C-alpha cells in the first residue's frame, strides 16, 4: 500500500512540475496577508448553496478581511457529474484549490496523489472529530482532508399512513414490531398494487451492508500478518445480513426491485411508500424541492431504523470532507479558508440547520433534539467501507449491486458472495 501511494505521488509530482511547493510558481506565503493578491477557487457541492449560503458568505467575508486583495471564487457542483469534472480539471491547468469530496471519494484522490497533507492542529476541534469522518481522510498515519459534516441513514416514515394502518404515529422500536405495523399499513393501502409499506430497493447496497454490519459482518478486513485486505462477504455473519436484506425487499417492496435508492424520496413524495431508509436530510426532500410534495408537510418524520435481534440498524457514516489540491499554488490560502469554513463558529451554523457537525463536542446537543436525535445517535457507531488502496467508489459499488441483483434473480447467497469476494479481493489489493 505504501509503495502505491509513494509511486502515485511521485507520478503526480513529475507531471505537474514538483507541485508540493506551489507548482513552481512564486511562494507568497511569507507575504503580509493584506498584500496577497492571488485567486482562490473553491468547489463546494450545491447543498451549501441551497441550505447554508449564509455560512459561505460569512466565511468569505472573514477571509476578505484577512486577505483583502485575494479573490475567492466559489463554484457549486452537482454530485452527479462532480467526479468526472474534477478528474478532468486535475488533468489540466484549471483546477480548484479547495474541493469538497464525499467521504467515499477521498481514498481514490489520496492514493493518486491529488490531495495535500493536512495538519490537524490548524483546525478547530480536531481532537474531537467524528472518528468515522476522520478515517476517510487518513492514510498511513497522515491526514489529507478535513471533516466537513456528518450524515447517517435513518427511518423516514409517513406518520399519517402508520396511524391509519397500524394505529400509531410513532415508529415501532423493534423490527418484529415494525414488521407487524408494516403488514397493517400494507392492508390499509393494499388497493394500490404499486404501494410499498417499506420501499427498499434491491440494489441499495448501503442498506444491505447495514444488515451485514448488524450481524457482525463486514465487506472486508485487513490481515496484519499477511499485510493485505481480505473480502469477507462470504462469512456466515455477512451472508445472514444479506439474506435478511433480500427477504425484506421481497416481502415489502412492490415497486421495481432492481432499482437503487436514488429516487426513493420521490417514491415517498408520490405517496407510494410509507417508510424508506435514507439520509436524514431526505425527509425534507420528500416535502420540499422540485420533486417534493408540500401536502405531506407535518406528516413525514424520522426515527432510528430497527434492526435484527432487537437492536438498532447500524448506519453507514455519510458526509463530506474538504481537501486542498496538491497542485494548488496557494495551498496556504486554501488551508486557511478551510480552517475558517470548518471552525467551531461555522459548525454552529450547520448544527442550527440540523446538519451534523464534524465533531462529537458539537454533535452531543443534537442527540437530544427531536429533529436530529435519530441521525445524531446513529453516527458514533456507524460503519464505513474498507479503507483500502484499491477500494474505488464506483467499481466496488458495482460489485455489491450486481451481487444483490443476482440474489434477487435466484442465485444463492453463498454463490453470489463467493463471486463478489473474488472481485473485491482483486480490487482492494490492486497495487498497480
Amino acid at each position: 500500500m505504501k509503495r502505491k501511494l509513494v509511486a502515485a505521488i511521485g507520478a503526480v509530482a513529475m507531471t505537474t512540475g514538483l507541485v508540493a511547493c506551489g507548482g513552481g510558481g512564486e511562494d507568497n506565503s511569507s507575504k503580509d496577508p493584506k498584500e496577497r493578491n492571488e485567486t482562490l477557487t473553491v468547489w463546494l457541492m450545491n447543498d451549501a448553496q441551497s441550505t447554508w449560503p449564509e455560512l459561505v458568505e460569512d466565511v468569505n467575508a472573514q477571509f476578505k478581511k484577512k486577505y483583502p486583495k485575494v479573490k475567492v471564487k466559489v463554484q457549486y457542483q452537482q454530485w452527479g457529474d462532480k467526479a468526472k469534472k474534477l478528474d478532468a480539471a486535475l488533468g489540466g491547468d484549471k483546477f480548484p484549490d479547495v474541493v469538497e469530496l464525499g467521504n467515499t471519494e477521498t481514498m481514490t484522490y489520496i492514493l493518486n496523489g491529488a490531495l495535500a497533507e493536512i495538519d490537524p492542529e490548524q483546525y478547530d476541534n480536531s481532537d474531537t472529530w467524528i472518528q468515522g469522518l476522520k478515517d476517510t481522510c487518513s492514510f498511513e498515519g497522515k491526514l489529507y482532508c478535513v471533516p466537513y459534516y456528518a450524515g447517517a441513514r435513518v427511518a423516514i416514515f409517513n406518520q399519517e399512513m402508520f396511524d391509519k394502518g397500524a394505529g400509531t404515529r410513532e415508529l415501532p422500536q423493534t423490527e418484529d414490531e415494525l414488521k407487524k405495523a408494516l403488514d397493517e399499513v400494507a392492508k390499509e393501502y393494499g388497493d394500490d398494487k404499486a404501494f410499498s409499506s417499506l420501499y427498499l430497493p434491491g440494489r441499495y447496497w448501503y442498506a444491505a451492508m447495514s444488515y451485514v454490519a448488524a450481524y457482525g459482518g463486514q465487506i472486508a478486513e485487513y490481515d496484519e500478518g499477511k499485510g493485505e485486505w481480505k473480502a469477507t462477504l462470504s462469512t456466515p455473519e455477512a451472508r445472514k445480513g444479506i439474506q435478511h436484506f433480500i427477504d425484506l425487499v421481497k416481502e415489502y417492496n412492490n415497486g421495481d426491485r432492481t432499482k437503487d435508492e436514488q429516487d426513493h424520496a420521490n417514491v415517498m413524495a408520490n405517496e407510494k411508500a410509507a417508510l424508506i431508509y435514507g439520509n436524514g436530510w431526505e425527509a425534507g426532500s420528500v416535502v420540499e424541492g422540485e420533486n417534493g410534495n408540500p401536502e405531506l408537510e407535518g406528516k413525514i418524520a424520522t426515527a432510528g431504523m430497527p434492526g435484527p435481534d432487537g437492536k438498532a440498524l447500524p448506519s453507514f457514516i455519510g458526509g463530506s470532507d474538504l481537501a486542498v489540491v496538491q497542485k494548488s499554488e496557494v495551498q496556504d490560502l486554501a488551508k486557511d479558508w478551510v480552517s475558517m469554513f470548518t471552525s467551531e463558529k461555522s459548525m454552529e451554523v450547520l448544527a442550527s440547520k440540523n446538519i451534523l457537525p464534524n465533531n462529537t463536542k458539537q454533535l452531543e446537543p443534537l442527540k437530544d433534539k427531536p429533529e436530529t436525535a435519530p441521525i445524531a445517535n446513529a453516527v458514533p457507531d456507524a460503519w464505513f467501507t474498507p479503507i483500502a488502496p484499491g477500494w474505488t467508489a464506483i467499481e466496488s459499488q458495482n460489485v455489491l449491486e450486481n451481487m444483490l441483483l443476482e440474489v434477487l434473480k435466484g442465485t444463492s447467497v453463498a454463490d453470489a458472495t463467493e463471486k463478489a469476494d473474488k472481485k473485491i479481493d482483486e480490487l482492494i489489493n490492486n497495487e498497480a
Side-chain angles (χ1 to χ4, degrees), residues 351-368:
S352 71
K353 295 179 175 293
N354 295 334
I355 303 299
L356 303 189
N358 65 5
N359 64 89
T360 56
K361 173 185 172 183
Q362 291 175 284
L363 177 71
E364 199 63 30
L366 299 184
K367 293 181 178 180
D368 296 321

Side-chain angles (χ1 to χ4, degrees), residues 4-5 8-9 11-12 87 90 107-115:
K4 180 173 181 179
L5 180 60
I9 292 177
V12 171
D87 291 345
L90 292 174
M107 188 55 64
T108 296
Y109 292 100
I110 289 172
L111 289 168
N112 67 20
L115 309 183

Side-chain angles (χ1 to χ4, degrees), residues 140-393:
E140 296 188 338
K142 296 181 179 181
L143 281 169
Y144 294 90
C145 51
V146 177
Y148 175 13
Y149 65 86
R153 283 166 169 77
V154 294
I156 301 170
F157 65 105
N158 187 313
Q159 290 182 303
E160 183 178 74
M161 288 182 174
F162 268 79
D163 192 21
K164 288 184 178 180
T168 178
R169 291 182 63 84
E170 302 298 325
L171 196 76
Q173 296 186 0
T174 69
E175 190 180 67
D176 287 343
E177 293 171 341
L178 175 60
K179 292 174 74 172
K180 291 178 182 177
L182 290 172
D183 291 340
E184 295 302 316
V185 172
K187 291 177 184 177
E188 177 68 24
Y189 296 90
D191 290 340
D192 185 348
K193 300 302 181 184
F195 178 82
S196 302
S197 53
L198 167 61
Y199 181 73
L200 199 58
R203 284 169 50 210
Y204 193 179
W205 69 271
Y206 287 110
M209 295 305 107
S210 286
Y211 286 96
V212 167
Y215 280 96
Q218 53 189 332
I219 298 171
E221 61 183 15
Y222 187 66
D223 187 327
E224 293 283 354
K226 295 183 178 179
E228 65 179 17
W229 286 83
K230 178 67 176 176
T232 53
L233 288 174
S234 55
T235 62
E237 296 83 1
R239 286 176 174 173
K240 286 180 182 178
I242 292 167
Q243 187 64 62
H244 193 114
F245 168 79
I246 293 295
D247 289 344
L248 290 174
V249 172
K250 290 182 175 180
E251 186 171 358
Y252 294 107
N253 184 358
N254 293 322
D256 185 348
R257 295 174 180 170
T258 66
K259 297 180 71 173
D260 62 21
E261 78 282 6
Q262 293 300 314
D263 71 340
H264 64 175
N266 295 343
V267 173
M268 175 167 271
N270 290 325
E271 300 183 73
K272 298 296 183 182
L275 170 65
I276 62 174
Y277 178 60
N279 293 291
W281 55 264
E282 290 182 284
S285 300
V286 174
V287 179
E288 304 168 351
E290 183 179 350
N291 298 311
N293 183 353
E295 294 183 4
L296 295 180
E297 181 72 41
K299 300 177 183 178
I300 305 301
T302 62
M305 186 71 170
D309 299 327
K311 299 178 182 179
L313 184 67
S315 172
F316 173 80
I317 179 75
S320 280
D321 303 312
L322 292 168
V324 173
V325 170
Q326 176 71 12
K327 291 173 67 174
S328 170
E329 295 186 359
V330 289
Q331 286 189 24
D332 63 318
L333 294 179
K335 291 174 181 179
D336 206 6
W337 189 93
V338 172
S339 178
M340 294 178 186
F341 199 67
T342 58
S343 69
E344 185 164 342
K345 179 182 176 183
S346 295
M347 291 296 107
E348 287 177 4
V349 175
L350 294 185
S352 71
K353 295 179 175 293
N354 295 334
I355 303 299
L356 303 189
N358 65 5
N359 64 89
T360 56
K361 173 185 172 183
Q362 291 175 284
L363 177 71
E364 199 63 30
L366 299 184
K367 293 181 178 180
D368 296 321
K369 189 176 179 180
E371 301 93 328
T372 55
I375 186 172
N377 283 291
V379 164
D381 298 322
W383 61 274
F384 194 66
T385 52
I387 305 179
W391 182 274
T392 60

Side-chain angles (χ1 to χ4, degrees), residues 417-430:
T417 52
E418 285 183 10
K419 181 178 178 181
D421 273 355
K422 290 179 181 179
K423 292 183 178 180
I424 290 174
D425 278 337
E426 292 173 0
L427 285 172
I428 60 180
N429 290 307
N430 177 17

